[in-house]
Amino acid sequence: MKVYSLETNSVVKRKWFLDLLTCMFGIGSWILVNSLYTQFPLLVQNAPEGWNLPSYLSIAVQTGNLGPLLYSAWRKKFGNQYDRPLIISILILGIISMFLLAMFYDVTGIIFGKSHSIVLCIFTFTIALVGCTSSVLFIPSLSHYSDIYLVTYMVGEGISGFVPSLIAIIQGIGTTTCYTVERNGQNITEKAQTNANFSSGIFFTIIGIIMCISTVSYLFLEYLPNCKKEKIQTKPESVEAHGTKSIHNSNILLLVIQGVIVFFSNGLMPSIQSYSCLPYGYIAYHLATNLSNMANPIACFVAFYTNRTSKSVIYVLCSICIVSTIYMLMTAFTSPSPPLNNSIIGVILIVFIWVLFVGCVSYVKLSIAAVLRDEGSRGLFHYGCITQIGSTFGALIGFYLINVVQILKSYEPC
């Protein structure tokens, strides 16, 4: 297959093995964090934090931004000459963290007199280091290859949400049934809970194996002779160059849009998703979480065959995101009695809105990355930085609303 490359201003013949390896490398970027999100419907049932667990883990995820901050300071001093060993180290950290999480995810401890999922939060932080750092470390490393492989990487990044969601759907979810029993002349309401097809520990082990494959794919990209021959010549980046050059003025608006988009999609909305979906039932929460993750790679595949750099399309999809966000916020803030919460229509609508939102957001983020790719490694670095800044502020706001002012309300089904 021949594709026109903006990097070389010529027609480039795609190499299937580069597409495969780049895609697998992309899967390793966010599969750890995405896999954790798919387990929320199961984890909230037994975690001491209950419905508040996503807000705690969202903060742990955003704390992973320590990685990009340290890398930014490193890059200013040393440039990008040590990116390869840094990427390998980050990937190995992800592998170790996921296998340890599989063994100890349900271990709790007492903090300030209350039980908390300490181990889960610790390893959420370490796996978040992988995802957060990938935004500023993994993507710029692709500047050594033709720009046609950027979309392949982004498809892989999208699949990093699809794969764990598919496994989670096969895993299923436990259900809770309420029933009344008579004891000592009094009617007492109790609940019976069924288990999923396999535990979160087994799920995390499977994800750890996939992470190993992703790491091997990156090693092939860097060291396999056939891959090294496909690298393009780029100017060495000086330490001062990155700090003095600024983003093109016409793309500043896109960076602002990116910041707002990820504020909601990566930060605020994951924190409040339990309040938006759980009033409609655990099944609705399970489907909304996993089907929306599947919408991510579908959006990337659509972008693969369309004019992904069209700013008009970006603005239209942003409008859809705004409408979807308003509805999801409304359901969360009216919990535990949101509109249509006792009807099938309500379940279908909340699942559809979440899937629509994530699909549109995924397309917009990929499109903005494709536009900024024209500015080389510098443009993608700014893209990664604004992504992490917006995500962090969104998670902080979500944590404040849920755990400080406690404006969102949950309920017990029994």
Side-chain angles (χ1 to χ4, degrees):
M1 178 180 178
K2 295 182 178 180
V3 182
Y4 184 79
S5 171
L6 295 174
E7 181 74 42
T8 60
N9 292 322
S10 61
V11 175
V12 177
K13 185 177 181 181
R14 301 191 76 106
K15 300 297 190 298
W16 67 268
F17 58 88
L18 276 183
D19 275 315
L20 176 62
L21 294 175
T22 305
C23 182
M24 288 305 304
F25 177 43
I27 289 176
S29 60
W30 283 99
I31 190 171
L32 303 182
V33 176
N34 287 331
S35 65
L36 184 64
Y37 285 150
T38 65
Q39 292 300 288
F40 279 1
L42 286 175
L43 295 175
V44 297
Q45 297 185 45
N46 299 307
E49 297 84 358
W51 287 26
N52 294 351
L53 178 66
S55 65
Y56 281 94
L57 297 186
S58 291
I59 290 294
V61 168
Q62 299 311 321
T63 307
N65 285 308
L66 178 63
L69 290 175
L70 292 176
Y71 173 68
S72 298
W74 173 278
R75 188 181 176 100
K76 287 181 179 180
K77 185 174 183 180
F78 300 105
N80 59 1
Q81 57 181 322
Y82 298 109
D83 281 6
R84 182 186 299 173
L86 284 174
I87 293 175
I88 294 173
S89 300
I90 286 293
L91 290 170
I92 292 175
L93 173 64
I95 293 173
I96 295 174
S97 298
M98 185 51 65
F99 283 123
L100 289 176
L101 180 62
M103 294 185 288
F104 305 112
Y105 73 95
D106 55 352
V107 175
T108 61
I110 304 298
I111 299 180
F112 299 120
K114 293 184 178 180
S115 180
H116 287 284
S117 306
I118 296 177
V119 174
L120 181 59
C121 288
I122 291 174
F123 286 116
T124 296
F125 164 70
T126 57
I127 67 176
L129 281 175
V130 179
C132 294
T133 308
S134 73
S135 296
V136 295
L137 184 59
F138 290 12
I139 295 178
S141 72
L142 296 177
S143 61
H144 296 296
Y145 288 97
S146 173
D147 65 308
I148 61 177
Y149 296 108
L150 172 64
V151 176
T152 308
Y153 173 89
M154 298 296 284
V155 169
E157 192 174 87
I159 294 176
S160 72
F162 180 89
V163 171
S165 294
L166 181 61
I167 298 173
I169 288 178
I170 297 173
Q171 178 188 23
I173 186 172
T175 58
T176 300
T177 303
C178 302
Y179 61 95
T180 302
V181 296
E182 183 177 345
R183 290 181 181 175
N184 300 324
Q186 294 182 337
N187 292 329
I188 301 175
T189 301
E190 295 185 351
K191 63 180 179 180
Q193 186 172 313
T194 60
N195 296 323
N197 295 325
F198 52 87
S199 69
S200 294
I202 295 176
F203 175 88
F204 291 138
T205 300
I206 296 172
I207 300 301
I209 295 172
I210 297 174
M211 191 65 186
C212 291
I213 298 174
S214 179
T215 302
V216 172
S217 297
Y218 175 73
L219 294 175
F220 282 172
L221 281 171
E222 291 299 317
Y223 297 105
L224 204 64
N226 287 345
C227 295
K228 294 172 71 174
K229 289 192 302 184
E230 298 299 324
K231 289 188 176 183
I232 59 178
Q233 296 297 322
T234 58
K235 287 184 178 182
E237 183 179 4
S238 65
V239 176
E240 294 79 16
H242 181 78
T244 57
K245 292 184 179 180
S246 59
I247 204 74
H248 194 278
N249 290 336
S250 62
N251 291 330
I252 292 179
L253 177 59
L254 292 182
L255 283 176
V256 173
I257 292 175
Q258 175 71 6
V260 174
I261 283 287
V262 298
F263 171 89
F264 288 101
S265 65
N266 294 3
L268 179 61
M269 303 314 292
S271 299
I272 69 172
Q273 187 177 22
S274 56
Y275 291 90
S276 173
C277 297
L278 271 176
Y280 298 93
Y282 284 107
I283 297 298
Y285 187 19
H286 181 65
L287 292 176
T289 300
N290 293 292
L291 293 182
S292 60
N293 274 341
M294 290 184 172
N296 189 317
I298 293 175
C300 292
F301 277 115
V302 171
F304 190 88
Y305 294 105
T306 58
N307 182 13
R308 55 187 176 275
T309 59
S310 171
K311 293 184 180 179
S312 297
V313 173
I314 292 176
Y315 299 148
V316 169
L317 293 181
C318 283
S319 300
I320 297 176
C321 291
I322 291 173
V323 175
S324 302
T325 300
I326 291 173
Y327 185 81
M328 292 185 295
L329 289 174
M330 179 184 67
T331 57
F333 280 92
T334 56
S335 174
S337 301
L340 304 173
N341 67 316
N342 293 318
S343 67
I344 296 297
I345 295 177
V347 173
I348 295 174
L349 185 58
I350 194 63
V351 173
F352 172 76
I353 290 295
W354 273 96
V355 173
L356 178 66
F357 171 76
V358 173
C360 292
V361 163
S362 301
Y363 190 101
V364 168
K365 290 193 293 187
L366 187 148
S367 297
I368 293 176
V371 173
L372 295 177
R373 176 63 177 80
D374 293 347
E375 303 200 26
S377 176
R378 184 182 71 256
L380 293 177
F381 181 79
H382 282 88
Y383 170 88
C385 288
I386 199 68
T387 295
Q388 300 313 319
I389 292 172
S391 302
T392 300
F393 277 102
L396 289 173
I397 294 297
F399 186 87
Y400 177 79
L401 293 175
I402 293 172
N403 298 289
V404 179
V405 298
Q406 299 181 353
I407 197 172
L408 302 181
K409 306 298 181 182
S410 61
Y411 81 104
E412 286 294 330
C414 300

